């Protein structure tokens, strides 16, 4: 079985570039019969990264012989590199059609192009529509869709040529979302505020029946009292702290007279106070900061203990407490004592330990001068409040020093919006998106600035969908609006991207204006823009190319192609195609190698 297919001389084709199109069969007299394509348009990939090639292929009569087939294979090219090949168009002249039919019927030939082939009259001018969606790689900076044409059928020759079908313009690839991101650096305002600190603790102490003196040999009394001493001793011994007050509350058993228990609890709190004053070696003046009181323990701990133990009479106790809720504990006790389970309650659920609760406040010294802050930060960062630590961060000079302060702030104030945001920004600038993500995502709530930084982390990770989800809830923040425009541009949602970024009047805004054919707007933006980087000069060259100002275009392009990547890009840029035959243009883009 034989197979009839296409014959292409690819090496010749790729080296030739754009040739005058002549497709011929065996007769050289057909050399003036040229196939053409119309219209040849500049196409921009859509949000699916596709372009729609919709053209008419014009074939003059006798452009190929009656004994041959014309094969048109559209190809996506970037310079001399084949990116993709599209559905072919196959036209069979009358004699070739009959020959192929005979060969299939009698000789067992398999025609690989049969599904695409159509019989035509090559003795007449032909206008054949061709429509195809072409997938364009997102990273493709520019290129062409060319029609590769071949004739086959005489068995002796095969001529190959090309004609342009469309140009591909992918201007959004000039925008690097990561490099262009607008990040929010939050500069904190420093206000001196009183640094009042509150604390609370408790000790579980054992007392002899109806006594309030503290016997350190009972139970864990010594350990519990030493715990109170240690907590308060740190404050009393801190030269930067001023004790404002300590309130100690004693508790007594729920059973017995409420009045008796209240007095007993207050006396037990007084015993704890006297022990602490003595062991803290406080003056009479400082001792006046201590106060005592009583808090009724009530029957709730008893009920909780019975419930945890699964006692069958738990419900009866609960009903009594609910019925007499808000009244003196003596009322509930009177009914609880009547229960059959009273002995159980007294022996198993009345607490042996009596809780002593202590609450305290103190004021830390505030630091006001920069020199004092820097000095004390090196010694006692724990003595700073969040505002003071943020002030220290502004006094540090290098990124490393600032990061160390922000990490210190987050150690003491884990939900600091400013510290988390600014640390994440510094990490992003160093390309450390994973660490930046861990920092910013540890926040429970987000300010608009922190939310924008969190979205930026996703952009660094190429998770654009998640970034859009965050940014679309935050478009009132200018930086978030701009970043959303960057992401929309990467999605090729160009009208939306232009609408979001146009008011910023920068190079990216000009790129997007060109992408949606707002050429005059792009020109105005670049005339006012002070950016003179190679990328900015490249965009100015694009503007001048669209305006038909070849000399100005060449002047700007000469400044742009000092950057190798832009020189390579210019070789396939759709806007420069009209200038590609100029000797000075070709010489400018050589860069050590031929075009």
């Amino acid at each position: 079985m034989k197979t009839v297919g296409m014959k292409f001389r690819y090496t010749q084709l790729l080296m030739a570039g754009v040739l005058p199109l002549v497709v011929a069969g065996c007769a050289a007299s057909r050399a003036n019969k040229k196939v053409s394509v119309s219209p040849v348009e500049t196409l921009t990939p859509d949000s699916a990264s596709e372009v729609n090639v919709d053209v008419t292929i014009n074939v003059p009569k006798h452009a190929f012989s009656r004994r041959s087939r014309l094969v048109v294979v559209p190809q996506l090219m970037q310079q001399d590199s084949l990116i993709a090949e599209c559905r072919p168009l196959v036209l069979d002249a009358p004699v070739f059609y009959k020959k192929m039919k005979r060969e299939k019927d009698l000789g067992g030939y398999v025609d690989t192009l049969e599904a695409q082939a159509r019989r035509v009259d090559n003795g007449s001018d032909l206008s054949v529509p061709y429509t195809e969606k072409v997938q364009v790689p997102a990273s493709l900076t520019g290129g062409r869709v060319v029609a590769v044409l071949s004739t086959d059928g005489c068995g002796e020759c095969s001529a190959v040529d090309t004609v342009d079908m469309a140009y591909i313009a992918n201007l959004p690839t000039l925008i690097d979302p990561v490099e262009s991101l607008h990040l929010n650096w939050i500069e904190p305002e420093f206000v001196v505020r009183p640094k009042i600190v509150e604390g609370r603790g408790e000790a579980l102490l054992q007392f002899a029946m109806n006594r309030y003196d503290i016997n350190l040999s009972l139970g864990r009394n010594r350990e519990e009292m030493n715990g109170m001493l240690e907590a308060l001793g740190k404050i009393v011994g801190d030269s930067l702290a001023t004790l404002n007050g300590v309130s100690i509350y004693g508790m007594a058993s729920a059973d017995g007279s409420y009045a008796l228990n209240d007095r007993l609890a207050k006396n037990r709190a007084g015993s704890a106070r006297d022990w602490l004053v003595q062991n803290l070696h406080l003056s009479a003046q400082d001792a006046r900061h201590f106060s005592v009181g009583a808090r009724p323990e009530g029957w709730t701990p008893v009920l909780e203990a019975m419930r945890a133990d699964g006692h069958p009479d738990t419900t009866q106790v609960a009903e009594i407490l609910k019925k007499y809720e808000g009244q003196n504990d003596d009322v509930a006790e009177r009914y609880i004592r009547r229960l059959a389970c009273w002995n159980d309650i007294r022996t198993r659920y009345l607490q042996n330990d009596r809780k002593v609760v202590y609450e305290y406040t103190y004021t830390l010294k505030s630091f006001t001068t920069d020199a004092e802050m820097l000095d004390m930060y090196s010694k006692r960062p724990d003595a700073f409040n969040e505002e003071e630590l943020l002030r220290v961060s502004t006094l540090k000079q290098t990124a490393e020093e600032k990061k160390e302060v922000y990490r210190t702030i987050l150690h003491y104030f884990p939900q600091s919006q400013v510290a988390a945001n600014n640390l994440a920004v510094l990490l992003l600038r160093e390309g450390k998106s994973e660490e930046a993500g861990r920092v910013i995502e540890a926040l429970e709530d987000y300010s608009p600035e922190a939310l924008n930084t969190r979205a930026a982390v996703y952009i660094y990770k190429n998770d654009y969908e998640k970034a859009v989800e965050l940014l679309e809830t935050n478009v009132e923040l200018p930086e978030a609006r701009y970043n959303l425009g960057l992401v929309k541009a990467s999605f090729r949602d160009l009208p939306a991207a232009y609408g979001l970024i146009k008011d910023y009047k920068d190079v990216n805004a000009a790129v997007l204006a060109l992408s949606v054919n707002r050429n005059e707007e792009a020109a105005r933006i670049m005339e006012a823009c002070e950016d003179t980087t190679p990328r900015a000069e490249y965009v100015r060259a694009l503007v001048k190319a669209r305006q038909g100002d070849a000399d100005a275009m060449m002047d700007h392009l000469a400044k742009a192609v000092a950057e190798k990547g832009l020189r390579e890009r210019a070789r396939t840029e759709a806007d420069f195609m009209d200038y590609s035959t100029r000797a000075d243009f070709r010489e400018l883009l050589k860069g050590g190698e031929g075009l």
Side-chain angles (χ1 to χ4, degrees):
M1 180 179 291
K2 297 181 181 180
T3 301
V4 177
M6 295 177 289
K7 293 184 282 184
F8 295 107
R9 293 196 295 271
Y10 286 106
T11 302
Q12 177 184 342
L13 167 66
L14 298 178
M15 294 299 292
V18 180
L19 301 177
L21 177 64
V22 178
V23 177
C26 297
S29 63
R30 298 187 181 91
N32 62 343
K33 303 295 184 179
K34 298 181 179 181
V35 175
S36 64
V37 174
S38 61
V40 179
E41 297 181 322
T42 297
L43 306 176
T44 298
D46 59 20
S47 59
S49 201
E50 293 179 335
V51 295
N52 186 44
V53 178
D54 188 0
V55 297
T56 298
I57 299 175
N58 304 300
V59 184
K61 61 183 179 181
H62 304 308
F64 61 108
S65 76
R66 292 173 60 81
R67 298 176 57 83
S68 65
R69 145 184 288 175
L70 175 64
V71 181
V72 181
V73 182
Q75 295 180 340
L76 175 61
M77 306 289 295
Q78 186 175 40
Q79 288 188 256
D80 57 358
S81 297
L82 174 63
I83 306 301
E85 194 166 84
C86 306
R87 174 180 56 85
L89 174 70
V90 183
L91 304 178
D92 289 349
V95 174
F96 182 88
Y97 176 80
K98 292 178 181 179
K99 182 180 72 171
M100 286 296 296
K101 188 176 187 305
R102 183 173 61 253
E103 292 291 340
K104 285 186 290 183
D105 292 343
L106 302 177
Y109 280 90
V110 175
D111 182 4
T112 60
L113 296 177
E114 182 178 7
Q116 289 80 31
R118 68 177 76 176
R119 183 182 179 182
V120 297
D121 179 5
N122 72 317
S124 302
D125 291 337
L126 303 173
S127 294
V128 184
Y130 181 89
T131 301
E132 183 76 353
K133 284 192 176 294
V134 179
Q135 189 71 36
V136 178
S139 60
L140 189 77
T141 57
R144 297 177 298 166
V145 178
V146 299
V148 178
L149 302 108
S150 171
T151 60
D152 195 4
C154 66
E156 297 178 2
C157 64
S158 180
V160 178
D161 216 331
T162 64
V163 63
D164 287 343
M165 298 181 74
Y167 300 132
I168 305 299
N170 205 0
L171 293 182
T173 55
L174 281 167
I175 300 174
D176 185 334
V178 169
E179 292 296 326
S180 301
L181 276 174
H182 283 197
L183 300 175
N184 291 95
W185 181 266
I186 305 175
E187 200 67 30
E189 295 182 6
F190 177 57
V191 178
V192 178
R193 303 181 191 279
K195 296 187 294 186
I196 299 175
V197 182
E198 298 179 352
R200 183 183 185 280
E202 61 182 41
L204 297 177
L205 304 175
Q206 289 190 15
F207 295 90
M209 181 68 69
N210 293 327
R211 295 184 62 87
Y212 53 82
D213 56 304
I214 297 174
N215 183 346
L216 295 180
S217 64
L218 283 178
R220 287 179 44 83
N221 284 1
R222 184 178 299 278
E223 291 86 344
E224 294 290 312
M225 290 303 299
N226 282 336
M228 295 176 67
L229 182 66
E230 181 180 2
L232 295 173
K234 290 178 181 179
I235 302 168
V236 172
D238 189 343
S239 61
L240 300 179
T242 301
L243 189 65
N244 298 327
V246 179
S247 299
I248 302 175
Y249 300 93
M251 297 184 181
S253 173
D255 62 317
S257 156
Y258 176 83
L260 175 62
N261 286 337
D262 183 68
R263 185 168 59 254
L264 186 60
K266 188 176 295 185
N267 288 336
R268 287 171 175 172
S271 295
R273 175 201 57 196
D274 295 343
W275 188 92
L276 288 168
V277 167
Q278 178 181 354
N279 286 275
L280 288 170
H281 307 291
L282 297 179
S283 65
Q285 178 69 26
D286 291 334
R288 284 201 288 268
H289 291 301
F290 283 69
S291 63
V292 298
R295 288 179 178 170
E297 188 174 77
W299 288 93
T300 299
V302 172
L303 177 63
E304 291 173 351
M306 293 178 70
R307 186 174 285 131
D309 202 27
H311 196 283
D313 293 330
T314 302
T315 302
Q316 295 183 37
V317 174
E319 290 174 350
I320 291 171
L321 295 180
K322 183 177 181 180
K323 183 175 181 179
Y324 299 104
E325 185 178 5
Q327 298 190 40
N328 189 300
D329 288 346
D330 292 348
V331 178
E333 181 182 347
R334 189 159 58 244
Y335 292 97
I336 290 173
R337 281 177 174 270
R338 298 175 183 176
L339 297 176
C341 62
W342 167 245
N343 285 333
D344 256 1
I345 292 173
R346 184 173 58 184
T347 58
R348 295 170 57 184
Y349 301 117
L350 287 175
Q351 304 295 315
N352 292 322
D353 293 334
R354 297 291 168 252
K355 188 182 296 185
V356 172
V357 174
Y358 57 102
E359 300 169 351
Y360 54 88
T361 65
Y362 61 95
T363 302
L364 280 170
K365 174 180 169 59
S366 293
F367 310 115
T368 56
T369 69
D370 293 347
E372 183 182 31
M373 284 185 178
L374 289 172
D375 177 62
M376 289 306 301
Y377 176 75
S378 65
K379 301 173 183 176
R380 288 286 307 279
D382 62 296
F384 284 67
N385 63 14
E386 183 180 350
E387 289 84 356
E388 290 169 338
L389 287 171
L390 289 171
R391 175 60 179 170
V392 171
S393 74
T394 67
L395 302 177
K396 296 295 185 178
Q397 300 301 312
T398 69
E400 286 301 316
E401 290 174 331
K402 289 180 181 292
K403 287 193 296 183
E404 187 276 329
V405 177
Y406 290 133
R407 289 189 175 103
T408 299
I409 296 171
L410 292 172
H411 172 73
Y412 292 109
F413 305 97
Q415 295 302 310
S416 172
Q417 296 275 333
V418 176
N421 180 82
N422 289 3
L423 177 56
V425 167
L426 290 173
L427 292 169
L428 286 176
R429 288 173 179 172
E430 297 172 357
K432 299 176 179 178
S433 58
E434 293 296 331
E435 185 178 355
R438 290 193 295 272
V439 168
I440 202 71
E441 288 170 14
L443 293 175
E444 295 174 358
D445 296 303
Y446 292 91
S447 65
E449 294 79 9
L451 191 64
N452 182 56
T453 302
R454 188 182 181 198
V457 169
Y458 285 111
I459 292 174
Y460 268 80
K461 295 178 179 181
N462 293 319
D463 189 348
Y464 288 170
E465 290 186 1
K466 185 65 176 177
V468 167
E469 180 183 330
L470 296 174
L471 292 170
E472 285 184 337
T473 66
N474 201 27
V475 291
E476 296 305 314
L477 185 72
E479 293 82 358
R481 182 179 177 84
Y482 188 92
N483 293 344
L484 180 59
L486 295 177
V487 179
K488 294 285 188 180
S490 71
F491 285 162
R492 303 300 184 270
D493 187 354
L494 301 178
Y498 172 69
L500 289 163
I501 289 182
K502 64 179 182 179
D503 293 337
Y504 292 83
K505 308 296 184 184
D506 62 358
V507 175
N508 289 339
V511 169
L512 291 170
L514 291 172
S515 298
V516 294
N517 293 316
R518 302 290 185 94
N519 300 326
E520 292 305 316
E521 175 65 14
R524 286 192 292 271
I525 290 173
M526 294 312 298
E527 285 171 5
C529 181
E530 297 180 359
D531 190 341
T532 58
T533 60
R535 187 173 77 106
E537 293 299 332
Y538 191 90
V539 176
R540 290 187 176 94
L542 291 171
V543 170
K544 294 303 180 182
R546 293 196 181 185
Q547 292 176 333
D549 189 341
D551 291 338
M553 184 274 290
M554 289 295 296
D555 287 342
H556 290 300
L557 191 59
K559 299 173 185 176
V561 297
E563 186 175 301
K564 180 180 178 181
L566 293 175
R567 183 171 67 247
E568 295 294 327
R569 180 190 178 102
R571 293 171 176 167
T572 59
E573 192 71 69
D575 285 303
F576 298 150
M577 288 296 177
D578 290 343
Y579 306 92
S580 60
T581 58
R582 287 177 50 139
D584 55 350
F585 180 86
R586 297 174 67 84
E587 184 65 28
L588 181 64
L589 298 190
K590 276 185 178 179
E593 55 185 81
L595 286 172

